[in-house]
Amino acid sequence: GVYRVAYTPDHLRLLGEAAAQPHSPLTVEDRVGLVSDAFKLAQANYSKTSSSLALQEALAGDSSSLVNLAMAQNLGTLASVWWEQPKELRDGINKLRASIFGPHARKLTFEFGKDDSSELRELRSTVISAAAAGGDEWTIAQIKERFAPLRDAGDDSKIHPDLLRTVLSQSVRHGGEAEYDAVLRIYQKPDTPAHKMSAMIALGYAPTDALVQRTLDFVLSGEVKTQDIMYFFSSLAVSYTHLTL
């Protein structure tokens, strides 16, 4: 059947400790199930959110891309639905995201090897994206370093394709007009369909009201195809920008 398992906080803590062991008897499926159940039950008010967060802290550094993806999505959802909560609470969620994924991003680095497995590539992309979303300083610094040649000279050789969307989005989010203009140029003359898609999403991460207004004006200018409008608004909806328009 289809069901969720509601463990007591103490039981969930013990399972989290067991799951985090190097040679844990809990499979990837078990760990993903634990993370998913704990968050969904907390979301439905059947358990405490703190228990779910403690489990995800225990699993920091997990080697599975699927486990990390589940955790990243859960924390991203929490940060999104709590956008109206006090700044201290929102900052706390982002600090937690950075503490879980930041050290993992440092360990994996931004360097992709030609012999990397698909699992490792997916893990690296997920961890770096989640660390950046939480505002991890090291990760953001690495993103800015790799984006600079693209901004200044149109050279994207330091950006791996698997990280293109994250690098563009976070460069706009943590940048200014120069970064925004560079991404707009990519949208207008993309090297690949992936460049265009990444640019559309990134432009929704405008960090100021003025740049948000530029995005809205651009979307309504007629230059954007109707079927592409949704990508701009999907990123505007989750970029934590407080509009005063």
Side-chain angles (χ1 to χ4, degrees):
V2 179
Y3 53 87
R4 299 285 184 182
V5 181
Y7 296 106
T8 64
D10 286 342
H11 197 166
L12 188 61
R13 176 180 57 79
L14 293 173
L15 285 171
E17 292 174 358
Q21 297 301 313
H23 301 289
S24 173
L26 277 74
T27 65
V28 171
E29 291 83 356
D30 292 332
R31 303 197 302 276
V32 171
L34 280 176
V35 170
S36 179
D37 286 357
F39 182 80
K40 291 301 183 183
L41 289 168
Q43 192 175 24
N45 202 30
Y46 284 104
S47 63
K48 294 183 177 180
T49 301
S50 58
S51 296
S52 171
L53 298 181
L55 173 64
Q56 294 183 81
E57 278 191 300
L59 291 174
D62 193 284
S63 61
S64 166
S65 64
L66 291 175
V67 174
N68 280 274
L69 180 61
M71 294 195 296
Q73 290 176 336
N74 288 344
L75 291 171
T77 297
L78 188 61
S80 177
V81 299
W82 281 3
W83 70 274
E84 290 183 303
Q85 296 297 318
K87 185 177 184 300
E88 294 77 11
L89 181 57
R90 290 183 281 113
D91 288 346
I93 293 297
N94 283 331
K95 184 177 180 180
L96 177 63
R97 297 163 90 182
S99 69
I100 290 175
F101 296 106
H104 206 172
R106 292 172 177 76
K107 180 180 178 181
L108 294 172
T109 77
F110 277 61
E111 302 301 325
F112 287 74
K114 63 179 182 179
D115 297 323
D116 286 352
S117 65
S118 58
E119 165 71 11
L120 178 57
R121 289 178 57 172
E122 183 65 29
L123 175 63
R124 180 180 285 111
S125 299
T126 297
V127 167
I128 289 175
S129 177
D136 178 65
E137 292 183 1
W138 179 87
T139 306
I140 297 302
Q142 290 292 312
I143 286 173
K144 289 181 177 180
E145 178 183 326
R146 283 161 173 73
F147 183 78
L150 176 59
R151 178 196 62 207
D152 299 335
D155 177 10
D156 66 355
S157 60
K158 296 186 70 174
I159 305 174
H160 191 275
D162 287 2
L163 297 177
L164 181 63
R165 183 176 301 185
T166 295
V167 170
L168 296 191
S169 296
Q170 296 301 328
S171 294
V172 170
R173 182 184 179 191
H174 294 277
E177 288 193 11
E179 287 72 21
Y180 186 95
D181 289 341
V183 171
L184 181 58
R185 289 194 295 271
I186 293 171
Y187 170 81
Q188 292 169 331
K189 293 184 178 180
D191 291 337
T192 67
H195 281 76
K196 184 174 182 177
M197 177 64 71
S198 297
M200 286 192 289
I201 292 172
L203 290 171
Y205 279 79
T208 66
D209 289 343
L211 290 177
V212 169
Q213 186 63 63
R214 279 187 62 184
T215 299
L216 294 174
D217 291 343
F218 180 66
V219 169
L220 300 175
S221 67
E223 188 173 343
V224 177
K225 294 181 179 179
T226 302
Q227 64 265 31
D228 291 338
I229 291 176
M230 59 176 285
Y231 299 110
F232 292 89
F233 281 101
S234 66
S235 55
L236 280 168
V238 298
S239 63
Y240 315 106
T241 302
H242 295 283
L243 306 183
T244 58
L245 304 177

